[in-house]
């Protein structure tokens, strides 16, 4: 016995099973990201005065990534429309674009992560702080080289928009260093929740693109045997993809612009 | 059991697919919801027993702090080493067991039994479907559950032991305890949550999409409705805890301080963290799940009880619609009461007012549900068999648990009762003699459907009376202890606060301390009362009394209108539903029950 | 009912409100439970299946149960509006003036209670979370003159009787819960937060301070805390015996 309504919609609900399943899944995803966004607000509102940074992220890269995801939403839609119109080759092209765009997004995201991991705040024994990107950090060398600048006070680092001082190569003897930490999740809570949110989002992108790529590649044989079912698959994976894009539309202003 | 030789009316492609699927495919990697239901049942019952054993050892420690645990002491010493030196349970071990008792009971035993086992097995048949909407996801859901269980279980044996900061895992404590158990706990939870999400999306889709012709919403058995609401709770309440779990994992693994505030000094050393985080944030996210979760623990049990009561009073459930709407209301409101677990975290007047109000509002639908079930008894013709006994006992026991929720719901009285044994008493009355009795009722009731045989009635009664009496011996004294001020999570059973130790005014009196011994013997009795059940469960598979026909209880709902055990795709012919679920003793009918799929005019053809 | 409930000794003015609510609620619960139970047992007895008995398809027709439900809802509403809200409002926002109260800061740690009194000048020295260090639990500013006479004690808190007490509750490591059962006040001690509570002791005596929140493996043994309620003169004597900057931070 076949399970009914896997392909054709049930008349009284107007939906096929997988679509309902996806909507339910997305409802739970809304709660997942909703929980994280609430956490973000909670942490930000409760942060001790002067400890929540601004402008630490690269808005240009963020904007590019936003555009990329927006474009991929369009190609996803067009891919599905192409199937509906029975134009399989066009579908192939559009979803190839979706996959490429998604990979570009992930590429840019990893570049941003790398940038953060190379960015160090070095507290010196004399109370000053050196802040900048690590150029040289050999374990056996007695110094490190940082491309950055010195500040007197941590608070000066909190606003990344105002790039006051020139960045230069700083050679810092290890003996002068009290504490050294990169801009990873442990650095402060902004970065903590930033990584938490964006890693989770990037995992969703990764999962989504794997599914889309499977349907696009090896799974596409189904188009020739069961086109309706195949179109449904594309539609449902598209729903997920739109949701993931939507999350980014919230993430971008919240993390990059405020 | 039917020995049907009639040819299958369905496409042959599938019967080919079903030819001798082999042991692994039929029992281990099955996608049949009935097999998956049974897998859930076995795993979860094992965890139930395990969760109880942890607690039995803890009750010994509470009654006899510092004395070697009898019988299993040497085993503990070999398994856990230092923390159980000479078989004595240390505070570490006590806290580990306590945290894991709560976790196992809630996430690995009771919820999987209610939704994974009962929900999986019954919902598709009750709505007249051939399987769940997504059979493969169903299998995956069990596998996630199983892996989560393995992770939780194995964490006992890592160095330092399992999680030990309560099932609530409040940071900073959970982040600073020097064991990786907490990391295992968080990972395990991520698996369990994923399993629940898959399972609940599946149940909801099944109910929406796969109802048989004629099975309108208001003809669904109440059990299915309860599963529907409970699944929504799981689907929407669990993700925030998943978010919180991921955040706590970040704190644990990457050293971030999302839950760690500035100015933390642990053990005389200032913590090397960035700070600025919030421990209270975790509590909000945790209770946002954990409150709806408690209704997940009760709703399906209420569903089971309603089925059993309708069947054994031989009359319709009174106020079926009120039951349905009350459950929906319960579901909605349960999302906005969570902070009643947090009155003493420094909650201001306004917020406390809000949460007290919602807490009182949520007690109304519970009262309505219970009242409907109570009134259903009136005018019935009550059969007292084992399932019915458990279902009946559920009512006053849940009543006690629910009523004692009221003093906790007012912040002014919670002030005194918070974190005392009164809370423990409150919620165990709802989950143990409440939910667990519901589960027992369900097991005795549907056992014949699975096996074709009844469970032994006499030993069923022994099990019932033993459980009823000892449950009360265990949990009733806790109210007295709680009111007198005995705190929960005391690894020494509270002697440090007893009159004998401190001699201060208001210290715990010897009578109150003495109750610990009563409870210990109650717990032992409770454990012994389960032996007839366990033996009965296995013995009756082969030796129980055979059922006279496929519908031995003369029931109306669809699961009883198919063969025993049900055919792979549940029904040989898709059932057509003509009426509501509880048409018992309809005036003018010769039999006292009218199955949902029986046409009004009996047709001449079979 | 008071006898049956066996509530512990009460030594504060406001605590009676809590107790009254608890007692009243238990009367209510008791009445409801007995009422339902009587009905329940009667129904079981009356409608037991016999050879001839036949169930009644319609069952109860009256609306009596709806009235009971409405009554329960009504009582809950009355309790909320006239008892629960006002009592909690008084508890959380009805603070006395600091000048007319004994002010104490309490910081929990694994596994004891630290307390800090403002000393003779009745003003605390400046504090700041970022200064918290292993030898400076309260984050006291060592340069502030007001802090010189502040008194710090471990586990034993003294307060004068019949005068309101305000405590600022915090913790330096994990969450504890500062519970003065005899005063009917409890407050979670949460690191990173400083939350005020107040009560007015009206009985002299030695009372237990409980830690009500799981705070680690010594949680059950965190029972060393005492609240000593004594006459004003005894209290003054105690305080002066302590002061002198012995425990302040230089
Ligand atoms: C299945 C689980 C379940 C259920 C149904 C409930 C139901 C309720 N709970 Fe409970 N609760 C828990 C599980 C549950 N709870 C758990 C696990 C905890 C502790 C967690 C922890 O801290 O570890 C807890 C803790 C808890 C607290 C926090 C206490 C504290 O920590 O200080 C509060 C406070 O408001 C509360 C309130 C309530 C209320 C008002 C209800 C109401 O919904 C109850 C409404 C029901 C009724 C009012 C009953 C009506 C009675 C009848 C109709 C009588 C019938 C009688 C006869 C047949 C004789 N609960
Ligand atoms: C669903 C949830 C659930 C259930 C059912 C139970 C059941 C029981 N609980 Fe539990 N308990 C919790 C959830 C639950 N508990 C939670 C959340 C906590 C808080 C933890 C914390 O503080 O963090 C807690 C804490 C807790 C404490 C407080 C510890 C402390 O604060 O220090 C105590 C003390 O007595 C206790 C006792 C018991 C007992 C005696 C049972 C008994 O009712 C058990 C009855 C069960 C049986 C007797 C087993 C029957 C077995 C079978 C039928 C198996 C058949 C098997 C096969 C066929 C293979 N529990
Ligand atoms: Cu401190 Cu418990
Ligand atoms: Cu709750």
């Amino acid at each position: 016995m076949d399970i009914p309504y896997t392909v054709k919609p049930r008349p009284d609900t107007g939906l096929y099973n997988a679509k309902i399943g996806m909507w339910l899944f997305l409802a739970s995803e809304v709660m997942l990201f909703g929980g994280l966004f609430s956490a973000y607000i909670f942490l930000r509102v409760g942060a001790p005065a002067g400890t929540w940074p601004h402008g630490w992220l690269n808005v240009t890269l963020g904007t590019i990534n936003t555009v990329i995801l927006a474009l991929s939403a369009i190609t996803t839609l067009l891919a599905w429309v192409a199937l509906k119109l029975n134009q399989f080759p066009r579908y192939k092209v559009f979803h190839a674009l979706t996959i490429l765009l998604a990979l570009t997004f992930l590429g840019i995201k990893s570049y941003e992560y790398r940038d953060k991991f190379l960015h160090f705040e070095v507290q010196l024994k004399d109370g000053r702080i050196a802040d900048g990107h690590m150029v040289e950090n050999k374990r056996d060398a007695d110094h490190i080289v940082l491309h950055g600048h010195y500040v007197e006070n941590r608070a000066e680092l909190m606003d990344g928009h105002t790039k006051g001082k020139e960045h230069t190569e700083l050679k810092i003897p290890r003996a002068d260093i009290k504490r050294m930490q990169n801009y990873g999740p442990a650095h402060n809570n902004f970065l903590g929740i930033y990584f938490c949110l964006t890693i989770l989002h990037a995992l969703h992108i990764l999962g989504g693109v794997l599914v889309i790529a499977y349907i696009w590649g090896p799974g596409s044989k189904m188009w020739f045997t069961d086109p309706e079912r195949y179109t449904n698959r594309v539609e449902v994976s598209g729903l997920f993809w739109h949701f993931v894009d939507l999350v980014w539309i919230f993430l971008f202003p919240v993390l990059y612009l405020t | 059991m039917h020995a049907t030789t009639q040819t299958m009316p369905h496409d042959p492609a599938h019967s080919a697919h079903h030819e001798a699927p082999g042991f692994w495919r039929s029992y281990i990697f099955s996608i049949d919801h009935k097999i998956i239901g049974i897998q859930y049942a076995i795993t979860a019952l094992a965890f139930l027993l395990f969760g109880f054993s942890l607690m039995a050892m803890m009750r010994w420690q509470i009654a006899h702090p510092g004395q070697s645990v009898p019988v299993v002491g040497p085993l503990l010493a070999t398994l856990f080493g230092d923390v159980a030196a000479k078989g004595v349970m240390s505070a570490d071990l006590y806290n580990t067991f306590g945290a894991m008792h709560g976790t196992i009971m809630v996430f690995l035993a009771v919820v999987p039994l209610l939704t994974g086992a009962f929900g999986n097995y019954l919902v598709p048949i009750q709505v007249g479907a051939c399987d769940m909407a997504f059979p493969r996801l169903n299998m995956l859901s069990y596998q996630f559950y199983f892996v989560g269980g393995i992770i939780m279980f194995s964490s006992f044996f890592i160095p330092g032991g399992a999680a030990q900061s309560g099932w609530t895992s409040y940071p900073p404590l959970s982040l600073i305890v020097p064991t990786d158990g907490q990391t295992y706990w968080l990972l395990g939870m991520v698996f369990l949550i994923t399993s629940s999400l898959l399972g609940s999306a599946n149940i909801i889709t099944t109910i929406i999409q796969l109802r048989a012709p004629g099975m309108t919403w208001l003809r669904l058995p109440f059990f299915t409705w309860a599963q529907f609401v409970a699944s929504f709770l799981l689907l929407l309440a669990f993700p925030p805890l998943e978010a919180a779990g991921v955040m706590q994992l970040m704190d644990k693994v990457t050293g971030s301080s999302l839950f760690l505030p500035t100015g933390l000094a642990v053990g005389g050393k200032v913590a090397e963290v960035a700070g600025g985080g919030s421990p209270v944030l975790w509590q909000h996210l945790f209770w946002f799940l954990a409150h709806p979760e408690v209704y997940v623990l009760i709703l399906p049990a209420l569903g089971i009880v309603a089925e059993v009561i309708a069947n054994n009073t031989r009359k319709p459930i009174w106020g079926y619609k009120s039951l349905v709407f009350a459950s929906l209301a319960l579901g909605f409101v349960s999302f906005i009461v969570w902070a009643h677990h947090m009155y003493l975290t420094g909650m201001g007047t306004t917020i406390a007012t809000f949460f007290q109000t919602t807490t009182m509002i949520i007690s109304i639908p519970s009262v309505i549900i219970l009242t409907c079930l109570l009134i259903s008894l009136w005018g019935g013709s009550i059969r007292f068999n084992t399932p019915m006994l458990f279902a009946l006992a559920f009512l006053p026991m849940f009543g006690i648990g629910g009523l004692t929720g009221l003093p906790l719901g007012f912040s002014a009285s919670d002030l005194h009762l918070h974190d005392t044994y009164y809370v423990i008493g409150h919620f165990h009355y709802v989950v143990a003699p409440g939910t667990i009795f519901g589960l027992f009722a369900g097991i005795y009731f549907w056992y014949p459907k699975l096996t074709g045989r009844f469970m032994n009635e006499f030993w069923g009664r022994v099990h019932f009376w033993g459980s009823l009496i000892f449950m009360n011996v265990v949990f009733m004294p806790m109210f007295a202890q709680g009111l007198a001020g005995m705190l929960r999570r005391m690894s020494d059973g509270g002697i440090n606060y007893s009159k004998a130790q401190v001699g201060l005014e208001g210290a715990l009196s010897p009578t109150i301390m003495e109750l610990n011994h009563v409870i210990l013997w109650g717990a032992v009795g409770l454990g012994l009362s389960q032996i007839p059940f366990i033996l009965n469960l296995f013995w009756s598979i082969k030796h129980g009394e055979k059922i006279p026909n496929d519908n031995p209880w003369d029931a109306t709902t669809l699961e009883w209108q198919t063969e025993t055990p049900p055919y792979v795709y549940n029904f040989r012919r898709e059932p057509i539903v003509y009426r509501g679920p509880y048409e018992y003793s309809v005036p003018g009918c010769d039999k006292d029950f009218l199955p949902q799929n029986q046409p009004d005019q009996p047709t001449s053809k079979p | 009912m008071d006898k049956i409930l066996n509530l512990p000794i009460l030594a504060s003015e406001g605590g009676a409100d809590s107790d009254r609510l608890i007692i009243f609620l238990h009367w209510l619960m008791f009445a409801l439970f007995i009422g339902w139970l009587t009905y329940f047992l009667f129904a079981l007895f009356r409608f037991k299946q016999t050879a001839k008995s036949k169930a009644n398809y319609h069952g109860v027709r009256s609306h009596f149960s709806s009235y009971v439900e409405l009554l329960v809802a009504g009582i809950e509403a009355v309790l909320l509006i006239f008892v629960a809200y006002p009592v909690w409002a008084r508890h959380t926002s009805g603070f006395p003036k600091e000048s007319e109260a004994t002010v104490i800061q309490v910081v929990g740690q694994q596994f004891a209670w630290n307390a800090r009194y403002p000393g003779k000048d009745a003003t605390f020295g400046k504090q700041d979370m970022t200064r918290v260090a292993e030898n400076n639990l309260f984050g006291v500013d060592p340069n502030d003159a007001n802090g010189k006479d502040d008194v710090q004690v471990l586990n034993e808190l003294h307060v004068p009787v019949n005068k309101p007490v305000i405590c600022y509750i915090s913790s330096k490591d994990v969450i504890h819960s500062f519970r003065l059962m005899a005063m009917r006040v409890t407050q979670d001690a949460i690191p990173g937060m400083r939350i005020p509570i107040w009560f007015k002791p009206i009985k002299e005596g030695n009372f237990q301070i409980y830690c009500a929140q799981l705070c680690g493996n010594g949680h059950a043994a965190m029972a060393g805390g005492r609240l000593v309620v004594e006459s004003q003169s005894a209290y003054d004597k105690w305080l002066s015996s302590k002061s002198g900057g012995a425990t302040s931070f230089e």
Side-chain angles (χ1 to χ4, degrees):
Chain A
M1 191 192 267
D2 272 327
I3 293 163
Y5 314 120
T6 41
V7 182
K8 291 254 184 289
R10 179 178 165 119
D12 58 350
T13 58
L15 299 163
Y16 53 90
N17 297 346
K19 203 160 173 179
I20 292 212
M22 183 47 80
W23 278 116
L24 291 171
F25 179 64
L26 292 184
S28 86
E29 292 281 84
V30 168
M31 296 306 288
L32 176 71
F33 282 99
L36 285 168
F37 275 111
S38 324
Y40 170 87
I41 296 170
F42 205 97
L43 287 171
R44 180 169 175 170
V45 171
T51 59
W52 196 265
H54 300 274
W56 273 15
L57 301 175
N58 188 329
V59 180
T60 320
L61 290 181
T63 315
I64 295 177
N65 258 350
T66 311
V67 173
I68 287 179
L69 282 193
L71 284 178
S72 80
I74 298 173
T75 57
T76 308
L77 190 68
L78 290 177
W80 175 67
V81 172
L83 279 188
K84 277 276 178 195
L85 298 176
N86 225 341
Q87 299 164 328
F88 187 66
R90 266 179 63 127
Y91 153 79
K92 277 282 208 181
V93 173
F94 281 126
H95 249 2
L97 281 175
T98 310
I99 296 167
L100 280 180
L101 286 166
L103 293 177
T104 321
F105 175 92
L106 289 177
I108 293 180
K109 199 74 232 157
S110 7
Y111 172 78
E112 286 186 82
Y113 283 162
R114 184 171 167 273
D115 183 70
K116 287 280 167 277
F117 286 124
L118 286 181
H119 191 162
F120 277 77
E121 180 192 306
V122 182
Q123 294 177 6
L124 302 181
K125 295 211 172 114
D126 62 3
R128 285 184 311 161
I129 296 174
D131 186 77
H133 286 84
M134 189 63 77
V135 181
E136 198 187 312
N137 183 10
K138 293 209 198 80
R139 195 156 289 163
D140 43 0
D142 59 353
H143 64 272
I144 59 167
V145 181
L146 211 62
H147 184 78
H149 63 144
Y150 287 113
V151 295
E152 298 298 323
N153 193 325
R154 240 186 151 191
E156 290 173 50
L157 297 172
M158 285 302 135
D159 197 347
H161 294 300
T162 52
K163 287 233 162 56
K165 287 187 190 157
E166 278 298 281
H167 279 212
T168 49
E169 299 262 311
L170 314 172
K171 197 171 158 189
I172 305 169
R174 282 208 193 263
D176 291 356
I177 299 175
K178 193 169 105 192
R179 189 158 179 263
M180 180 167 102
Q181 193 181 35
N182 69 0
Y183 277 39
H187 190 70
N188 72 7
N189 270 342
F190 168 74
L191 289 170
I193 192 88
Y194 161 76
F195 276 106
C196 200
L197 276 163
T198 53
I199 288 177
L200 221 55
H201 177 258
L203 285 177
H204 279 77
I205 296 269
L206 188 65
V209 78
L210 284 178
V211 170
I212 290 179
Y214 171 78
I215 298 177
W216 180 82
S220 65
K221 277 185 254 114
M222 187 190 268
W223 170 255
F224 304 102
T225 54
D226 194 351
E228 201 176 350
R229 184 140 180 222
Y230 186 69
T231 314
N232 286 347
R233 286 199 168 172
V234 172
E235 185 185 14
V236 168
S237 59
L239 279 178
F240 178 74
W241 194 255
H242 288 292
F243 171 79
V244 181
D245 294 349
L246 191 71
V247 172
W248 181 259
I249 302 295
F250 282 94
L251 283 178
F252 174 62
V254 162
L255 294 172
Y256 287 73
L257 301 182
T258 58
Chain B
M1 269 179 252
H2 269 206
T4 326
T5 44
Q6 159 202 4
T7 43
M8 267 197 338
H10 306 290
D11 60 321
H14 253 97
S15 57
H17 150 84
H18 228 278
E19 244 168 71
F23 173 79
W24 288 94
R25 284 288 293 282
S26 351
Y27 298 109
I28 307 298
F29 296 104
S30 170
I31 56 170
D32 178 349
H33 72 100
K34 296 181 288 299
I35 303 290
I36 297 175
I38 294 170
Q39 292 174 335
Y40 262 113
I42 294 173
T43 324
L45 278 174
F47 273 117
L48 185 64
L49 192 58
F50 180 54
F52 172 71
S53 335
L54 293 178
M55 187 43 72
M57 294 180 248
M58 290 169 70
R59 288 300 335 176
W60 169 267
Q61 163 76 4
I62 291 173
H64 303 279
Q67 292 178 30
S68 168
V69 185
V71 190
V72 291
L75 180 66
L76 288 181
T78 11
L79 279 180
F80 299 111
D82 285 351
V83 289
K86 300 211 185 81
V88 178
M89 197 183 282
S90 65
D92 296 46
L93 197 62
Y94 182 91
N95 288 341
T96 300
F97 281 13
M100 294 311 281
H101 162 78
T103 308
I104 287 174
M105 283 303 200
V106 174
F107 298 113
L108 285 164
V110 174
V111 172
L113 270 175
L114 288 169
T115 62
F118 280 97
N120 234 320
Y121 197 96
L122 291 173
V123 167
I125 317 190
Q126 281 200 335
V127 303
C130 57
D131 201 322
M132 288 282 237
F134 311 111
R136 245 167 262 283
L137 283 188
N138 202 14
M139 174 180 79
L140 206 61
S141 147
Y142 173 73
Q143 288 164 351
F144 272 105
Y145 160 67
F146 191 76
V147 174
I150 296 287
I151 294 178
M152 290 283 186
F153 184 74
S154 56
S155 71
F156 276 94
F157 305 104
I158 62 168
Q164 39 179 260
S165 12
W167 80 297
T168 48
S169 287
Y170 282 5
L173 180 64
S174 59
L175 290 171
I176 66 167
V177 286
T179 152
D180 288 333
Q182 186 66 23
T183 314
Y184 278 65
W185 189 89
L186 291 163
L187 272 177
M189 283 309 290
V190 170
F191 275 90
L192 294 176
I193 293 171
T194 311
S195 153
S196 274
L197 294 181
L198 295 178
S200 49
N202 216 338
I203 288 191
I204 297 173
T205 312
T206 307
I207 297 176
I208 297 181
Q209 291 287 89
L210 303 190
R211 281 168 291 126
M215 182 58 93
T216 58
W217 285 99
L218 288 180
R219 284 181 183 166
L220 287 175
F222 180 63
F223 174 79
T224 297
W225 265 110
Q227 290 284 342
F228 186 71
V229 178
S231 297
F232 261 106
L233 296 183
L234 285 175
L235 188 77
L236 300 180
F238 249 141
L241 182 66
E242 187 152 27
V246 171
M247 287 167 69
Q248 200 176 107
L249 263 180
M250 291 275 289
D251 278 5
K252 262 239 95 108
V253 178
T254 71
S256 61
S257 45
L258 301 167
F259 296 127
L260 296 176
T262 310
L264 214 56
V266 181
K269 269 220 334 252
V270 179
E272 281 277 317
V273 293
S278 164
V280 180
L281 173 58
W282 167 269
Q283 301 189 12
H284 281 294
L285 293 171
F286 181 85
W287 290 115
F288 187 85
L289 158 85
H291 187 87
E293 177 81 5
V294 307
Y295 291 98
V296 175
L297 291 173
I298 202 69
L299 271 171
L302 282 164
I304 294 175
V305 168
E307 300 292 302
V308 175
I309 285 188
N311 179 261
N312 288 305
T313 51
R314 314 304 300 156
K315 64 183 280 301
I317 284 288
W318 191 85
Y320 168 79
K321 277 194 194 159
S322 323
L323 276 180
V324 169
F325 291 120
S327 333
L328 288 170
L330 201 66
F332 280 111
V333 186
S334 73
F335 281 102
I336 48 167
V337 301
W338 78 91
H340 66 209
H341 299 269
M342 299 168 59
Y343 286 138
L344 302 183
T345 53
M347 192 180 281
T349 317
T350 333
I351 303 181
T353 303
F354 175 79
F355 282 105
Q356 295 187 62
T357 313
T358 52
T359 303
M360 288 308 124
I361 290 176
I362 204 171
S363 68
I364 305 295
S366 312
V367 171
I368 292 178
I369 293 178
L370 221 49
T371 314
C372 286
L373 293 177
L374 280 171
I375 294 183
S376 298
L377 301 176
W378 194 268
S381 165
I382 304 174
R383 302 192 299 214
F384 290 94
N385 42 36
T386 316
M388 186 61 168
L389 287 176
F390 276 110
L392 288 173
F394 172 94
L395 300 173
M397 295 296 109
F398 176 75
I400 297 177
L403 289 171
T404 49
L406 300 180
L408 301 174
F410 292 101
S411 52
S413 38
D414 189 45
L415 196 57
H416 177 56
L417 300 172
H418 182 63
D419 271 332
T420 63
Y421 264 91
Y422 196 89
V423 177
I424 302 286
H426 151 65
F427 75 78
H428 280 91
Y429 261 100
V430 257
V431 295
T435 301
I436 293 198
F437 277 15
L439 285 169
F440 284 148
I443 293 175
Y444 283 99
F445 187 64
W446 278 290
Y447 189 86
K449 193 72 226 170
L450 273 70
T451 61
R453 289 169 195 266
F454 292 105
M455 283 176 78
N456 183 292
E457 188 66 24
F458 172 76
W459 291 110
R461 277 166 202 259
V462 172
H463 176 213
F464 169 74
W465 287 108
S467 299
L468 181 65
I469 291 167
F470 288 116
M471 280 284 185
N472 284 288
V473 175
V474 171
F475 295 117
M476 193 56 89
M478 291 188 185
F479 293 124
Q481 292 186 322
L483 284 161
M486 183 183 288
L487 297 173
R488 60 193 285 200
R489 296 170 169 174
M490 285 287 149
S491 54
D492 61 359
I495 43 167
N496 273 317
Y497 290 120
S498 70
K499 196 118 210 163
Q501 285 280 324
V502 293
L504 293 184
E505 273 143 295
L508 302 173
S509 70
T511 336
I512 293 295
M513 298 301 294
E514 189 51 41
L515 288 177
N516 281 338
H517 296 266
V518 177
I519 299 179
L520 170 64
W521 292 115
V524 171
L526 181 60
L528 293 178
S529 310
Q530 307 310 312
I531 293 176
F533 170 70
I534 298 175
L535 295 181
N536 198 350
L537 193 68
F538 290 111
W539 185 81
S540 302
I541 297 178
K542 283 264 156 57
H543 309 285
E545 182 196 337
K546 277 216 173 88
I547 52 173
N549 56 45
D550 285 331
N551 187 359
W553 305 115
D554 290 344
T556 52
T557 44
L558 290 182
E559 78 270 27
W560 298 105
Q561 316 308 327
T562 178
E563 61 209 72
T564 305
Y567 159 67
V568 221
Y569 300 117
N570 297 342
F571 302 95
R572 301 261 169 197
R573 216 165 290 217
E574 183 172 47
I576 299 176
V577 175
Y578 296 95
R579 60 181 63 76
Y582 305 117
E583 294 298 284
Y584 288 103
S585 303
V586 182
C589 270
D590 43 347
K591 279 196 290 185
D592 72 348
F593 67 104
L594 261 179
Q596 284 191 280
N597 64 341
Q598 181 177 316
D600 289 324
Q601 247 68 55
T603 43
S604 47
K605 279 208 229 140
Chain C
M1 187 62 84
D2 327 20
K3 282 272 150 45
I4 305 174
L5 292 187
N6 188 24
L7 289 168
I9 182 170
L10 174 69
S12 78
E13 194 180 64
D17 292 338
S18 275
D19 283 8
R20 260 196 301 277
L21 181 58
I22 293 180
I23 291 166
F24 184 81
L25 280 171
H26 280 83
W27 274 119
L28 175 68
M29 286 148 58
F30 199 66
L32 289 175
F33 186 74
I34 293 299
W36 269 312
L37 192 67
T38 317
Y39 158 81
F40 175 71
L41 294 176
F42 176 75
L44 292 190
F45 179 75
R46 165 79 177 67
F47 296 105
K48 187 170 165 18
Q49 187 171 57
T50 59
K52 270 195 266 139
S53 75
K54 184 149 171 22
N56 176 349
Y57 179 73
H58 298 286
V60 174
R61 302 263 189 141
S62 86
H63 291 283
F64 182 69
S65 65
S66 317
Y67 301 133
V68 178
E69 283 156 13
L70 277 177
L71 184 74
V72 173
I75 298 179
E76 285 179 359
V78 169
L79 280 178
L80 272 178
I81 296 167
F82 295 103
V83 186
Y85 298 160
V87 173
W88 193 250
R90 184 168 174 279
H91 183 73
T92 51
S93 28
F95 279 83
K97 282 210 208 68
E98 290 213 354
S99 55
E100 289 159 17
T102 317
V103 184
I104 314 174
Q105 290 183 342
V106 178
V107 168
Q109 72 173 68
Q110 286 175 327
F111 297 97
W113 297 102
N114 301 277
R116 180 162 178 259
Y117 289 77
K120 288 212 193 64
D121 63 357
T123 356
F124 287 111
K126 274 215 204 73
Q127 287 161 294
D128 182 357
M129 271 323 210
T130 57
R131 286 183 192 280
V132 171
E134 52 218 76
N135 60 349
N136 189 357
L137 276 187
F138 291 86
V140 180
D141 182 347
N143 305 318
D144 184 8
N146 284 333
K148 294 280 184 232
D149 64 342
D150 292 357
V151 171
Q152 251 190 60
V153 293
L154 187 69
N155 269 344
E156 195 172 298
L157 278 67
H158 286 236
V159 294
V161 70
N162 287 331
K163 184 175 168 190
V165 180
I166 300 179
C167 298
Y168 289 89
I169 313 293
S170 183
S171 161
K172 71 163 203 170
D173 40 33
V174 302
I175 302 178
H176 303 265
S177 189
F178 182 72
R179 175 173 163 97
L180 296 172
M181 195 159 67
M183 305 297 156
R184 301 291 187 274
V185 292
T186 308
Q187 172 60 53
D188 284 1
I190 304 173
M193 294 170 82
R194 183 181 292 153
I195 304 157
I197 54 166
W198 76 280
F199 57 92
K200 187 171 169 189
I202 51 172
K203 263 204 193 93
E204 289 184 27
N206 257 312
F207 301 102
Q208 178 79 49
I209 303 175
Y210 294 78
C211 175
Q213 184 67 266
L214 180 63
C215 52
N217 295 330
H219 167 58
M222 191 166 163
R226 304 274 173 277
L227 178 78
V228 181
V229 183
E230 56 199 5
S231 66
Q232 183 74 43
S233 54
Y235 169 74
D236 290 338
K237 211 165 121 213
W238 173 80
L239 191 63
S240 52
S241 80
K242 288 283 172 187
S243 56
T247 40
S248 72
F249 300 97
E250 301 299 332

